[in-house]
Amino acid sequence: MGAQISYDIAHLIGATVLMAGFQLLYQRRLFAVLNTFAFQALALAAAAAWQAHVQHAPHLYVTAGIALVFKAIIVPIALHWLVEQLGIHKNVETAMSIGWTMMAGVALVTLSILLVLPVTANAAALTRESLALAMSVVLLGLLMMITRRNAVTQVVGFMALENGLILAAVSAKGMPLVVEISVAFSVLVAMTLFGIFFFRIRERFDTLDLADLETHRGDR
């Protein structure tokens, strides 16, 4: 009974991370996107903490703490500040309609299940299904990067993709602590670089909309 409950809770948390990925695709307001990303990171922290409990792996609590502090708190606050400082348009421009985007997301989740489950046939059931959920989150993040025209939402898509990679890593036993530390460092470096990048683009072109930036291609 205890093992079944652990299994069900792990599925519930993993599915919450995945549903937050769909919510990111659905949102049309920039602040709603950032808030949804913070919620996804919070669910990711819960997934890491639960895997630490199930696997008896204390180092995964470090992963949970990193996800909570950096991805659920610091990164969303920093992006909120950037949006306010740069005066970015609050509506999110999309390359295709929300309906078609959601349908594409469902197709990608189906593809993930069809690809991951046969490949991991010899692994434990919890590991197999967690990896399928993680791959789905990765592909949804990639889809968000492709279908969003605003640079900030593309950054959020990139970090949502990274959330899927972290979910896959914590689902596999034996991940060393150095991986969690490197992930936290990479997030900080990426945020610094993206912040500088955004300010430079805004200063040069007075917009962060990729469609508008296309009109400046070749300008000196």
Side-chain angles (χ1 to χ4, degrees):
M1 178 66 70
Q4 183 62 43
I5 292 176
S6 297
Y7 184 87
D8 291 340
I9 292 176
H11 268 92
L12 176 62
I13 300 173
T16 301
V17 177
L18 177 61
M19 290 299 102
F22 276 106
Q23 187 70 8
L24 284 172
L25 293 175
Y26 179 78
Q27 296 294 346
R28 298 297 300 269
R29 301 284 293 177
L30 192 51
F31 282 153
V33 169
L34 299 180
N35 292 336
T36 302
F37 172 77
F39 173 75
Q40 186 185 54
L42 181 64
L44 176 66
W50 186 251
Q51 288 292 341
H53 170 72
V54 171
Q55 298 180 25
H56 304 290
H59 68 278
L60 290 181
Y61 287 114
V62 177
T63 303
I66 290 172
L68 177 63
V69 173
F70 289 100
K71 306 204 78 173
I73 299 175
I74 294 179
V75 169
I77 290 175
L79 287 176
H80 271 87
W81 180 81
L82 277 174
V83 169
E84 292 289 353
Q85 290 296 310
L86 297 176
I88 300 172
H89 195 265
K90 303 303 189 299
N91 289 326
V92 176
E93 296 288 337
T94 60
M96 64 173 69
S97 69
I98 296 298
W100 282 109
T101 302
M102 299 295 284
M103 291 175 62
V106 171
L108 289 175
V109 171
T110 303
L111 177 64
S112 299
I113 294 172
L114 294 177
L115 288 177
V116 172
L117 293 186
V119 172
T120 58
N122 295 327
L126 178 58
T127 301
R128 296 175 65 209
E129 294 172 16
S130 295
L131 289 176
L133 285 171
M135 179 60 71
S136 300
V137 174
V138 168
L139 293 180
L140 290 182
L142 181 61
L143 179 62
M144 184 175 181
M145 293 178 66
I146 294 172
T147 58
R148 295 298 180 268
R149 293 177 176 173
N150 182 281
V152 174
T153 52
Q154 291 194 339
V155 170
V156 173
F158 167 77
M159 291 189 292
L161 183 154
E162 188 182 41
N163 284 346
L165 295 177
I166 296 173
L167 183 61
V170 300
S171 300
K173 294 183 179 180
M175 183 178 67
L177 179 61
V178 68
V179 175
E180 289 92 337
I181 296 175
S182 65
V183 166
F185 180 74
S186 68
V187 169
L188 286 177
V189 171
M191 280 301 303
T192 302
L193 292 177
F194 283 135
I196 296 171
F197 181 62
F198 288 160
F199 274 111
R200 293 293 294 172
I201 291 178
R202 181 70 174 181
E203 183 182 55
R204 174 67 177 84
F205 300 110
D206 197 35
T207 184
L208 286 178
D209 189 287
L210 297 183
D212 292 335
L213 292 176
E214 284 289 330
T215 63
H216 295 282
R217 178 178 293 179
D219 290 351
R220 293 291 184 268

